[in-house]
Amino acid sequence: MKIGIIGAGNIGGNLTRRLTALGHEVSVANSRGPQTLTALAEETGAKPVTASEAAQGAQVVVVTVPLKAVPDLPTGFLDGAAEGVAVIDTGNYYPQRDGRIAAIEDGLPESRWTEQQIGHPVIKAFNGTYAQDILDRARPQDTPDRQALPVAGDDPTAKQAVRGLIDELGFDTVDGGGLDDSWRQQPGTPVYGNRGDADAIVKALAEASPERTAEFRA
């Protein structure tokens, strides 16, 4: 599969490592330019590109940049993606880093805000995952206590594609509902950073409160 990754931080870098190891064709971009991705490219075989080029022909695009950087993504960066591209949003709103985003403070789910900024539906996944776990905690299907990740989104086809990719990476998934339900996996909720199996993740999603905790408010 052809996959574009925009953002080469902890999550983006480790997804690049795992997805290339699984045989996917990965293009990776960051805010500083492809010349700064030489080491990652040499390590993984991924193609370093600009953010404008990352989605070209991609069936899956991972947007894994700080929320404050989302509005600065190149206009039309998804225009060259494959038809029906699944766009994964791994982002979280951290007001100490991102500044105050009024719509999110007023209750708009973080990934709904990201979707509005980029003009394309997104699937929320990996946002509560420890980056190192992507490398260290992958397990074969049907392994007892296999870690599960919540996945939320409105497009059932795109969601299924993302869930299949996560399974290939070595993790179970739990359907987190539509994007309007994705607040259940935002920072400060029981599922955020939860390394539990599918049953534990279902329980954590059910126990979430829509009230944003003080730690994650501006």
Side-chain angles (χ1 to χ4, degrees), residues 132-149:
Q132 193 62 32
D133 288 353
I134 294 171
L135 301 182
D136 295 345
R137 294 180 62 87
R139 301 288 186 271
Q141 282 185 346
D142 300 321
T143 300
D145 300 322
R146 192 190 198 206
Q147 184 173 335
L149 309 183

Side-chain angles (χ1 to χ4, degrees), residues 28-30 32-38 41 47-51 53:
V28 60
N30 66 5
R32 295 176 294 144
Q35 71 280 359
T36 66
L37 294 168
T38 303
K47 181 181 180 182
V49 295
T50 66
E53 300 167 325

Side-chain angles (χ1 to χ4, degrees), residues 125-201:
F126 297 109
N127 73 290
T129 309
Y130 293 104
Q132 193 62 32
D133 288 353
I134 294 171
L135 301 182
D136 295 345
R137 294 180 62 87
R139 301 288 186 271
Q141 282 185 346
D142 300 321
T143 300
D145 300 322
R146 192 190 198 206
Q147 184 173 335
L149 309 183
V151 180
D154 297 333
D155 181 336
T157 302
K159 185 190 283 185
Q160 192 54 48
V162 172
R163 295 182 72 178
L165 194 64
I166 292 171
D167 180 54
E168 190 181 348
L169 284 164
F171 301 88
D172 285 340
T173 59
V174 169
D175 190 336
L179 209 62
D180 285 337
D181 301 312
S182 65
W183 58 267
R184 293 183 179 275
Q185 61 195 77
Q186 291 178 174
T189 61
V191 84
Y192 180 74
N194 192 318
R195 288 172 161 147
D197 62 9
D199 289 342
I201 298 307

Side-chain angles (χ1 to χ4, degrees), residues 3-172:
I3 299 172
I5 298 178
I6 301 176
N10 294 333
I11 294 285
N14 285 349
L15 284 175
T16 299
R17 291 177 176 94
R18 292 283 287 113
L19 291 168
T20 51
L22 289 167
H24 295 287
E25 182 183 346
V26 177
S27 295
V28 60
N30 66 5
S31 61
R32 295 176 294 144
Q35 71 280 359
T36 66
L37 294 168
T38 303
L40 183 62
E42 290 177 350
E43 176 192 346
T44 63
K47 181 181 180 182
V49 295
T50 66
S52 297
E53 300 167 325
Q56 292 297 310
Q59 297 149 285
V60 173
V61 173
V62 183
V63 176
T64 181
V65 301
L67 247 65
K68 66 180 179 180
V70 169
D72 298 327
L73 290 171
T75 302
F77 74 96
L78 293 168
D79 289 352
E83 185 176 354
V85 60
V87 179
I88 300 174
D89 169 33
T90 78
N92 292 308
Y93 171 53
Y94 301 122
Q96 300 89 341
R97 176 196 67 188
D98 300 315
R100 188 179 194 278
I101 298 177
I104 295 176
E105 292 283 345
D106 290 342
L108 185 70
E110 295 168 15
S111 286
R112 186 67 80 190
W113 181 86
T114 295
E115 178 181 85
Q116 292 175 359
Q117 303 306 305
I118 68 173
H120 192 283
V122 301
I123 304 296
K124 188 176 191 74
F126 297 109
N127 73 290
T129 309
Y130 293 104
Q132 193 62 32
D133 288 353
I134 294 171
L135 301 182
D136 295 345
R137 294 180 62 87
R139 301 288 186 271
Q141 282 185 346
D142 300 321
T143 300
D145 300 322
R146 192 190 198 206
Q147 184 173 335
L149 309 183
V151 180
D154 297 333
D155 181 336
T157 302
K159 185 190 283 185
Q160 192 54 48
V162 172
R163 295 182 72 178
L165 194 64
I166 292 171
D167 180 54
E168 190 181 348
L169 284 164
F171 301 88
D172 285 340

